[in-house]
Amino acid sequence: MSSDNDSEVYSQILTNRLPSLVALRCFEAAARSENFSRAAAELYVTHGAISRAVRVLEDDLGLELFERRNRRVFLTDAGRRLFSAVHDGLGMIQQAVSDLRISVRQTPLVLSCEPTLLMRWLIPRWPLFQALHPDIPVHLVAGGGPILFDSGIDLAIRRNDFEWPSNVNAEHLFTEKTGPVCRPGQEGTYFELAEDTNSIRRGSMRLQTKTRIQAWQEWAKASGKSLPSGKEQLFEHFYFSLQAAVAGLGVAIGPWHLVRDDINNGVLSAPLGFVEDGSSYYLLSSQVRNMGEPYSLLVAWLRSMDEN
């Protein structure tokens, strides 16, 4: 038979029992923006999964954390109190884990970069970083779009063509500039280069890419030039359309950082030059201060490579 003292200890254990960590994580993401859909996108789950996790947490605590009205949710007083604690707690856990990973030098920082930028700009310059900082191990991986940092990725280079969560730190690296490019010697085939007009020639084969389907329209808007009627060929990825231009199959939109080496090496020509299209590249991370000196050195080096 259990003693009264045993019953008291058991009662304290039940009272101090923590809710599901998964439910707390879903709640923190939903509470931060007071939006279940944004939380679902951030955590790569469904809206229903966030709603169920929050409901499980509310049932466990025996009170409502959100006020639901007109298809929107608002934190209750209890919800705000819990959010403050959970947000700080998860931040401390994330900081400790990151600090431990960084302290173990066998574990490299994992840097995700958009595939074409990785292939055509970062990798050719990466030996310079390794020579300058041989004691900072970094593993490069290809990736695009939204990133979940606790999935093994520490840093990500992305163009701001999508909205990232409010808890993501973003360091501006460089501004995007684009321009039409073709194989040298084919300028007269694809461009009108008279003194009073510099434009795409009517009927030119324009090379398109699915990963940036509006690239031509964005360039036309930024440059103030029209897009005359012509043929189009669609490729799966940006690097395919650029390689097609190198091969002489047509004219492609070339982001400056992706084609600068080919232009300098005489592989591509950009007779109309380049214009800023309003977007930029950023280095994204979840906790800047957790990265310490390796992060600061990497940011400085990436910025120095803008014109190299």
Side-chain angles (χ1 to χ4, degrees):
M1 179 179 295
S2 300
S3 66
D4 291 340
N5 188 53
D6 290 340
S7 298
E8 182 178 350
V9 170
Y10 183 67
S11 176
Q12 290 177 349
I13 291 175
L14 288 180
T15 302
N16 295 329
R17 177 180 57 82
L18 288 174
S20 160
L21 182 59
V22 172
L24 288 172
R25 188 158 173 257
C26 291
F27 164 75
E28 191 276 340
R32 196 178 336 112
S33 61
E34 292 186 315
N35 189 299
F36 284 13
S37 295
R38 291 180 187 173
E42 177 182 332
L43 299 180
Y44 295 92
V45 298
T46 64
H47 181 284
I50 296 293
S51 181
R52 287 191 295 273
V54 170
R55 182 61 71 186
V56 165
L57 189 56
E58 290 178 324
D59 290 344
D60 186 11
L61 297 175
L63 47 78
E64 289 191 346
L65 301 172
F66 289 95
E67 180 183 352
R68 298 160 174 84
R69 64 174 186 266
N70 297 329
R71 295 188 177 182
R72 294 189 60 189
V73 294
F74 304 88
L75 282 169
T76 62
D77 290 342
R80 281 189 289 271
R81 180 180 177 185
L82 182 62
F83 169 69
S84 178
V86 174
H87 179 72
D88 291 347
L90 290 178
M92 292 177 64
I93 293 172
Q94 189 176 43
Q95 179 180 344
V97 170
S98 181
D99 287 346
L100 289 171
R101 283 174 174 165
I102 291 173
S103 68
V104 181
R105 288 270 50 101
Q106 293 86 347
T107 303
L109 291 173
V110 179
L111 171 59
S112 169
C113 183
E114 293 183 355
T116 308
L117 188 68
L118 177 66
M119 178 191 305
R120 288 180 159 260
W121 180 76
L122 185 56
I123 287 179
R125 290 158 178 78
W126 196 245
L128 297 175
F129 180 81
Q130 292 181 318
L132 287 172
H133 307 291
D135 57 334
I136 302 179
V138 180
H139 178 56
L140 302 177
V141 298
I147 185 72
L148 191 62
F149 285 107
D150 58 3
S151 64
I153 302 297
D154 298 305
L155 305 165
I157 298 177
R158 295 289 190 270
R159 191 168 67 96
N160 60 338
D161 56 350
F162 66 94
E163 183 178 353
W164 42 72
S166 58
N167 64 331
V168 168
N169 294 294
E171 291 283 350
H172 183 269
L173 297 179
F174 44 78
T175 300
E176 180 76 302
K177 295 179 289 187
T178 63
V181 295
C182 68
R183 184 171 180 164
Q186 292 187 333
E187 293 88 348
T189 302
Y190 300 121
F191 298 93
E192 295 281 359
L193 299 175
E195 290 186 4
D196 59 340
T197 177
N198 288 294
S199 62
I200 304 295
R201 186 182 292 275
R202 183 180 300 276
S204 294
M205 173 63 76
R206 294 202 296 265
L207 307 175
Q208 293 267 29
T209 174
K210 288 184 178 179
T211 52
R212 205 186 294 189
I213 198 66
Q214 296 298 319
W216 275 102
Q217 286 72 21
E218 291 169 357
W219 168 79
K221 181 179 179 180
S223 65
K225 296 185 181 297
S226 61
L227 284 179
S229 60
K231 301 177 183 178
E232 292 187 351
Q233 186 170 356
L234 184 64
F235 292 89
E236 291 290 330
H237 298 286
F238 225 130
Y239 45 81
F240 291 153
S241 65
L242 295 177
Q243 193 58 39
V246 170
L249 298 182
V251 58
I253 284 296
W256 167 238
H257 291 84
L258 304 186
V259 299
R260 60 197 297 181
D261 291 345
D262 283 345
I263 290 175
N264 291 336
N265 294 330
V267 177
L268 283 173
S269 174
L272 302 187
F274 296 85
V275 295
E276 296 184 0
D277 72 355
S279 66
S280 294
Y281 277 94
Y282 290 80
L283 182 66
L284 307 180
S285 65
S286 58
Q287 291 285 340
V288 173
R289 59 194 175 95
N290 286 345
M291 300 300 172
E293 186 179 18
Y295 177 88
S296 300
L297 292 172
L298 180 60
V299 171
W301 180 81
L302 287 169
R303 286 174 174 162
S304 73
M305 289 295 103
D306 184 18
E307 297 300 331
N308 295 308

